[in-house]
Amino acid sequence: MYHFDELSLEQKEKFKEFKKITSSYEIDIEAWCKITNDNPFLWYTDSYFPDNFLSDFDLKNHHIEYNKYLDDLKLIIDNKNSTERDILNFISNNKLFIATSILKNFTLFGHHDRYIFKEFELPPHHVCDYLIIGKNSHGYHFLLIEFENIYNNITISDGDFGTTIRKGLNQIDDWKIWMDKNFQSFSSNLKRFNNKYKTLPDEFNDYDSTRFIYCVVAGRRENYKEKTYRKVRELSKQNIILTHYDKLLEEAKFLIKSGNY
């Protein structure tokens, strides 16, 4: 229950109090901290996308539960019969912090504000596994993630990309071409989830390709050789992240330990 219309009368009063504090020329930090700590629903209700908002509060208050999820995730990753669909099914069941952990060390945004969308459509032919939107001091940025297989054809013997990684990178090429031509469709799709009480900033209306980063997760650490990492560094110059599931697990652990995005 994060939308203003769905709040109880008591919650609406708290929200009005919160807006009064945040609209002041000089914000009373002590009052702001107290009301948000006591009423974490305010973070969601005041966000651009209430149903998709990711809160530091959840990381700090569910860290024991979240660490247990990571133990379960490792079991899936270590199972030679597991596929990317097993990973996606696991994460989609209230464990979205795992996908969002990629923000922490791989990007320079998300610490001010962040949102996640599952299976976000790029119509009519494309769907990204996760769209993550994050803010830094330069505004909002967009991360589109593709999960590929954990095993089979990740790299070849010399460390060059195998068919699994190439498939993910081809998907990203398709997304980039689509975005260059269809950003307004992307923007319109996002606005279906928008808080009707808030107007989205310019980054959501004016296309800037430099605000977009793309990510492929594929394979295990053992698949990545010296040549693989050299090619990974080359991809980073094109705003493309390529990493493996062991790194994803480590990033998620680090995220929980730090307690903030």
Side-chain angles (χ1 to χ4, degrees):
M1 188 171 65
Y2 302 134
H3 296 264
F4 181 80
D5 294 338
E6 299 173 345
L7 300 180
S8 67
L9 290 176
E10 181 180 356
Q11 287 174 323
K12 286 181 179 178
E13 288 303 313
K14 287 291 183 183
F15 185 74
K16 291 176 183 177
E17 183 182 346
F18 169 76
K19 294 302 287 184
K20 184 177 180 180
I21 292 170
T22 55
S23 62
S24 299
Y25 180 74
E26 291 188 5
I27 295 177
D28 184 335
I29 299 298
E30 184 176 346
W32 177 84
C33 289
K34 177 169 176 33
I35 195 170
T36 53
N37 287 336
D38 293 344
N39 303 276
F41 76 90
L42 293 171
W43 288 107
Y44 294 86
T45 308
D46 195 47
S47 69
Y48 286 114
F49 306 98
D51 293 330
N52 307 88
F53 178 68
L54 288 157
S55 163
D56 289 344
F57 178 88
D58 289 335
L59 286 177
K60 294 172 182 175
N61 288 273
H62 299 285
H63 63 277
I64 295 175
E65 179 184 4
Y66 283 6
N67 274 308
K68 175 61 171 63
Y69 290 156
L70 297 188
D71 292 338
D72 296 336
L73 177 62
K74 188 173 188 312
L75 292 176
I76 295 174
I77 292 173
D78 287 342
N79 184 343
K80 300 286 187 180
N81 295 316
S82 294
T83 67
E84 80 274 11
R85 179 46 55 187
D86 296 313
I87 297 286
L88 289 170
N89 289 342
F90 180 79
I91 294 175
S92 68
N93 186 20
N94 297 318
K95 306 173 187 71
L96 299 177
F97 75 94
I98 295 171
T100 317
S101 67
I102 293 174
L103 284 179
K104 188 70 174 176
N105 289 318
F106 281 102
T107 77
L108 298 175
F109 55 88
H111 43 285
H112 289 180
D113 192 18
R114 84 290 315 165
Y115 306 91
I116 188 168
F117 302 80
K118 296 186 291 185
E119 296 183 340
F120 192 83
E121 294 184 0
L122 310 176
H125 303 302
H126 306 297
V127 177
C128 69
D129 290 331
Y130 290 100
L131 165 66
I132 300 174
I133 300 173
K135 184 184 180 184
N136 62 15
S137 56
H138 300 290
Y140 285 90
H141 304 258
F142 307 87
L143 171 64
L144 284 73
I145 304 176
E146 174 78 1
F147 282 86
E148 289 293 346
N149 261 332
I150 311 168
Y151 299 99
N152 299 322
N153 302 311
I154 309 301
T155 55
I156 60 178
S157 59
D158 68 348
D160 207 346
F161 297 155
T163 55
T164 294
I165 290 179
R166 291 202 303 271
K167 176 175 174 286
L169 294 176
N170 286 340
Q171 181 69 79
I172 283 179
D173 284 342
D174 290 341
W175 293 350
K176 282 186 168 187
I177 292 169
W178 184 93
M179 199 66 70
D180 287 342
K181 297 179 179 178
N182 299 282
F183 176 76
Q184 290 308 314
S185 176
F186 173 80
S187 177
S188 296
N189 196 7
L190 267 177
K191 288 172 183 175
R192 296 189 297 113
F193 305 94
N194 183 210
N195 186 339
K196 67 180 181 180
Y197 295 102
K198 297 181 75 70
T199 301
L200 291 173
D202 290 343
E203 300 93 282
F204 292 86
N205 299 302
D206 303 324
Y207 182 47
D208 180 351
S209 63
T210 65
R211 292 187 180 275
F212 282 79
I213 293 180
Y214 301 85
C215 175
V216 173
V217 183
R220 303 292 305 267
R221 176 173 278 113
E222 64 199 46
N223 302 125
Y224 286 58
K225 310 294 192 300
E226 182 180 348
K227 183 176 183 179
T228 318
Y229 285 117
R230 187 167 66 250
K231 299 189 75 169
V232 166
R233 291 190 292 272
E234 288 298 318
L235 286 172
S236 69
K237 299 174 185 177
Q238 305 171 45
N239 279 355
I240 296 174
I241 300 165
L242 172 61
T243 191
H244 47 74
Y245 285 96
D246 295 281
K247 185 62 175 174
L248 177 69
L249 186 61
E250 291 169 359
E251 290 299 302
K253 288 180 178 178
F254 180 72
L255 178 66
I256 295 171
K257 184 176 181 179
S258 65
N260 57 75
Y261 285 97

